[in-house]
């Protein structure tokens, strides 16, 4: 019986899929005094980052706010990295973040556990008057890797499905789920965002707001913040400050990566 049980465990271990990872990854410390950081995933399997803080890598990979990460050693505050990574095939957001998590595990030897705390959160709700989100339309975007049009120098690249772009008070998403909309909006907020809309399906999203307006007034009320007003007027959604359970990642062990 013991041998049979061992055989079953061995077979399970053999068939357990390997975590998604980049085929090639270069990580080098950035010793410059620059404050700005840049990073980018593209649909062709490439990730590039310049002067990227370690804390940002972790919060990005696990889609966390800074308040949801604890346990980092003192040196992690000042360490920044230049990263070039490549994988085969196309790279959507979910696969990209999964590969980044593997990179943290393999190259930074990161070990962690989760705890749940009760914190301030924003709940995404349907506004009075009903939702104004537009269901995604056939042909509104291009599937990466499938009959992509050739892009000539100076031309705008196509709008890829299941992707979003957010910068400077503008958000564009093509055939995105509510979970992706939450991820995009969450980048603009101080607190974690939870979905209370109950909406399914995919949507083509265009949202603009004034990025110079304060996101919140430092209290629980959110009046006067233009992104909140824009959400209600343009998408028929609203944000409500509340308390809720929030998962917090606690780092148990992490190392500086070897250069290559």
């Amino acid at each position: 019986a013991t041998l049979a049980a061992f055989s079953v465990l061995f077979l399970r271990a053999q068939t357990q899929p390997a975590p998604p990872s980049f085929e090639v990854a270069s990580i080098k410390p950035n010793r410059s005094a620059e404050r700005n950081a840049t990073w980018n995933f593209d649909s062709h399997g490439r990730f590039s980052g310049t002067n990227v803080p370690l804390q940002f890598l972790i919060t990005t990979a696990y889609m966390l706010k800074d308040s949801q990460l604890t346990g980092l050693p003192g040196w992690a505050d000042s360490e920044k990295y230049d990263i070039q990574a490549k994988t085969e095939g196309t790279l959507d957001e979910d696969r990209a973040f999964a590969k980044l998590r593997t990179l943290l595990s393999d190259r930074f030897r990161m070990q962690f556990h989760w705890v749940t705390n009760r914190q301030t959160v924003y709940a995404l709700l349907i506004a009075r008057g009903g939702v104004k989100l537009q269901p995604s339309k056939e042909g509104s975007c291009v599937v990466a890797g499938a009959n992509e049009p050739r892009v000539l120098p100076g031309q705008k690249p196509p709008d890829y499905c299941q992707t979003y772009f957010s910068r400077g008070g503008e958000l564009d998403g093509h055939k995105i789920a509510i979970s992706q909309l939450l991820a995009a909006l969450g980048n603009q907020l101080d607190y974690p965002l939870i979905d209370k809309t109950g909406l399914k399906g995919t949507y083509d999203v265009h949202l603009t707001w004034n990025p110079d307006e304060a996101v919140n007034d430092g209290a629980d009320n959110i009046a006067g913040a233009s992104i909140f007003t824009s959400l209600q007027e343009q998408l028929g959604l609203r944000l409500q400050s509340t308390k809720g359970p929030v998962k917090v990642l606690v780092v148990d062990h992490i190392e500086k990566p070897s250069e290559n």
Side-chain angles (χ1 to χ4, degrees), residues 170-231:
E170 184 173 4
L171 167 63
D172 278 292
H174 305 278
K175 205 173 184 179
I176 62 173
I178 290 297
S179 60
Q180 292 174 290
L181 177 59
L182 258 70
L185 293 174
N187 293 332
Q188 313 299 325
L189 304 172
D190 294 337
Y191 302 118
L193 181 59
I194 59 175
D195 178 29
K196 292 292 185 179
T197 65
L199 295 172
K200 308 296 182 183
T202 58
Y203 302 89
D204 294 331
V205 177
H206 179 69
L207 176 69
T208 60
W209 67 93
N210 182 358
D212 294 328
E213 293 288 339
V215 170
N216 64 65
D217 62 6
D220 280 347
N221 72 76
I222 53 177
S226 63
I227 189 171
F228 299 94
T229 302
S230 298
L231 267 173

Side-chain angles (χ1 to χ4, degrees), residues 46 49 71 86 90 100 113-114 132 136 141 153 159 174 177 225 227 240 248:
R46 293 182 292 265
K86 179 72 172 68
T90 60
L100 192 54
H113 68 278
W114 294 98
K132 300 178 184 178
S136 56
C141 53
D159 296 323
H174 305 278
I227 189 171
Q240 178 177 299
V248 176

Side-chain angles (χ1 to χ4, degrees), residues 57-105:
L57 283 177
I58 300 172
T59 55
T60 299
Y62 288 92
M63 292 179 283
L64 305 172
K65 292 295 178 187
D66 288 345
S67 61
Q68 293 176 268
L69 175 64
T70 186
L72 284 175
W75 58 264
D77 292 337
S78 58
E79 289 291 320
K80 298 179 180 180
Y81 296 94
D82 295 336
I83 300 175
Q84 297 291 327
K86 179 72 172 68
T87 190
E88 295 297 325
T90 60
L91 191 67
D92 61 24
E93 184 179 84
D94 288 341
R95 291 183 66 232
F97 289 166
K99 289 175 183 287
L100 192 54
R101 292 194 290 270
T102 302
L103 186 74
L104 287 164
S105 174

Side-chain angles (χ1 to χ4, degrees), residues 89-154:
T90 60
L91 191 67
D92 61 24
E93 184 179 84
D94 288 341
R95 291 183 66 232
F97 289 166
K99 289 175 183 287
L100 192 54
R101 292 194 290 270
T102 302
L103 186 74
L104 287 164
S105 174
D106 290 347
R107 299 294 299 278
F108 290 85
R109 306 298 181 191
M110 190 175 94
Q111 300 174 18
F112 63 91
H113 68 278
W114 294 98
V115 298
T116 300
N117 295 337
R118 191 167 180 81
Q119 297 181 2
T120 299
V121 298
Y122 287 125
L124 183 67
L125 305 163
I126 295 177
R128 186 176 300 174
V131 67
K132 300 178 184 178
L133 275 171
Q134 298 299 312
S136 56
K137 298 177 181 178
E138 190 68 30
S140 66
C141 53
V142 174
V143 177
N147 300 319
E148 292 185 46
R150 183 184 178 188
V151 180
L152 299 176

Side-chain angles (χ1 to χ4, degrees), residues 28 65 156 167 200 212 235 259:
K28 297 180 179 179
K65 292 295 178 187
K156 179 182 179 295
R167 184 177 66 183
K200 308 296 182 183
D212 294 328
L235 302 185
E259 294 188 36

